[in-house]
Amino acid sequence: MQHRTSLCGGCFVPHPGDSVCRKNGNRLSYSRALEYAMTHQLCIVLDFGGQYNQLIARRVRECGVYCEVKSYKTPIEELRALNPVGIIFTGGPNSVYDDASPRISPEIFHLGIPILGICYGCQLMAYTLGGKVATCITSEYGKTETTYDPSCLLFAGIQDMPEQAISWMSHTDYISELPAGFRATAHTQHCPVAAMENKEQKLYAVQFHPEVNHTQFGVRMIDNFLKKVCGCTGDWTMGNFCKATVQSLRDQIGPDGRVLLALSGGVDSSVLAALLAEAIGERLTCVFVDHGLMRKNEGDEVEAAFAKWDVNFVRVNAEERFLSKLAGVEDPQEKRHIIGAEFGYVFRDEAERFGITKQDFLAQGTIYPDVIESGQGDADVIKSHHNKLLPAEVVARFQDVLEPLSLLFKDEVRQLGRELGLPEYLVMRQPFPGPGLAIRIIGAVTKEKADTLRDADWIYREEIAKAGLDKQISQYFAVLTNCRSVGVMGDGRTYDYTLALRGVTTTDFMTADFARIPYEVLEAISARIVNEVKNINRIVYDVTTKPPATIEWE
């Protein structure tokens, strides 16, 4: 039987199968990262507040290496216990010479673990090891011609890479003096140290962002660090994850334990349902909470999709319950808190009704971006995820909360769904937020607004499909704004809502571009909505990328 691995906050030593540290009696906390480090090569991304921290981790995974994002405040002892094959420092908005800026203990550079610093991480490495960092005479932002030294391992083996290529810069400081033992391995017109290395100590750094698509050969550079510097073999595959997680769930739940799953009908919860069904079969109860904030006909579609599964499926019609709690609430974070809490209370009620006991488990479809965007390191909380906001008294009713997808990015969840044999229409279903239309209605939520948005969103989606664009646009939806404006219909004056249309293209949902929907398609959508849907007299299209915006409006 496999055992979960825990970590002691006092001695930072792995304790497979234990719940209390044998050395000092501390209660142990379960560490999924530590468990994977025991069987897979692990790369740690240390977050210094960079906007691309998720993207760096995603690129590492694309190279077949398991990776997790940790705060730069993580104790050195804990990092050592995780036994990573490599560490990557992210970028960040600060200047390393400011007293309030994030710092790192010099000890980390003497662990014998290869390190790659990116942007702020590059400057931090230089500054901490005795180099100098100063304000640029000329700042660099965006696409920048960069000259590389092909003898550096980071840039090795890229046969078609020219001596000069484009990198993506975003900095106002630069390394004015290299630390001892380092040499410059790349430069630009205004940046003499666009990359540096200390080959003997396996310390590498780049001033640019190799993780973004704009940097030519950037992913190859990351792969070179992982394979040529760290010696990674690339043993992270979704097939391995699927087998290991199914077995881990069986071990954790036991032969008699049951699971109550919060099923939304989206990709994440559907894949989780399949994963748990594979692990424990009919001991899984899927509770689908129809909070009255789903898309048009979606509740019925979800119920029909799961009718053939060998699990207990329960649909709770709770529209009135949720809308009454949301009455008059305008703040998006408060909406998320209310909906998250009410989800918890619904599950509590269902647990009581179906006899779920302290021996059983609650399962949620939290994925890795939810964990990071809910607060990681010094990075801002971008959004609070409802899975992370269940009331303590609800969680306390269960033995534990299962979140086996919390290590995965969205595209990895889809891959896992295919491994489990889910139909493609479920695997490729567009993301839909847990709070549903509540965060696509700006301002207070009412049934009238929800019905209006449902009808408008339906038309938008129908016209996109008619135009054959549904497979080209990664996510598209309508937002009912809180803006009202004057219009004219027939011979009468109107004063109704503005509807915003959102469409994005993306590969990982961490960065996104707005979709270039043809004008004639937008015209057809606009004409249908204002003619067929009450209370809307103006349509706008959102042409903002992520960043600076998020994909959802709230």
Side-chain angles (χ1 to χ4, degrees), residues 4 30 252 358-363 395-402:
R4 301 201 314 166
Y30 168 47
Q252 184 177 359
K358 186 66 176 177
Q359 300 304 310
D360 300 319
F361 298 81
L362 175 66
V395 177
R397 290 176 177 265
F398 298 86
Q399 178 175 326
D400 204 352
V401 178
L402 303 175

Side-chain angles (χ1 to χ4, degrees), residues 148 150 153-162 216-222 224 228:
Y148 301 96
L153 286 178
L154 288 186
F155 314 129
I158 305 176
Q159 302 300 327
D160 57 348
M161 180 175 175
Q216 292 176 287
F217 315 107
V219 175
R220 184 60 183 271
M221 296 173 193
I222 293 173
N224 280 342
K228 296 182 181 297

Side-chain angles (χ1 to χ4, degrees), residues 323-336 338 438 441-446 449 554:
L323 289 179
S324 65
K325 293 287 184 180
L326 290 168
V329 177
E330 297 189 0
D331 180 76
Q333 288 293 78
E334 191 176 351
K335 290 180 190 177
R336 289 180 181 273
I338 289 171
I441 297 172
I442 309 302
V445 178
T446 65
K449 286 182 179 180
E554 290 193 342

Side-chain angles (χ1 to χ4, degrees), residues 109-110 122-133 175-184 193 196-204:
F109 299 105
H110 303 290
C122 172
Q123 295 169 10
L124 181 66
M125 182 184 294
Y127 184 82
T128 306
L129 294 175
K132 293 183 179 179
V133 177
I175 298 170
S176 58
E177 184 177 315
L178 285 165
F182 282 78
R183 72 182 186 97
V193 184
M196 66 178 187
E197 69 169 4
N198 183 322
K199 189 174 182 180
E200 182 180 347
Q201 295 187 33
K202 296 186 177 181
L203 302 178
Y204 293 81

Side-chain angles (χ1 to χ4, degrees), residues 89-109:
F89 294 174
T90 73
N94 305 91
S95 294
V96 293
Y97 45 77
D98 289 342
D99 291 339
S101 295
R103 301 289 172 81
I104 195 76
S105 169
E107 184 183 352
I108 198 170
F109 299 105

Side-chain angles (χ1 to χ4, degrees), residues 156-170:
I158 305 176
Q159 302 300 327
D160 57 348
M161 180 175 175
E163 183 180 335
Q164 239 185 16
I166 296 297
S167 70
W168 184 264
M169 291 285 190
S170 180

Side-chain angles (χ1 to χ4, degrees), residues 365-382:
T366 307
I367 64 174
Y368 203 35
D370 297 329
V371 175
I372 297 175
E373 291 186 345
S374 293
Q376 171 75 40
D378 274 13
D380 288 340
V381 175
I382 299 170

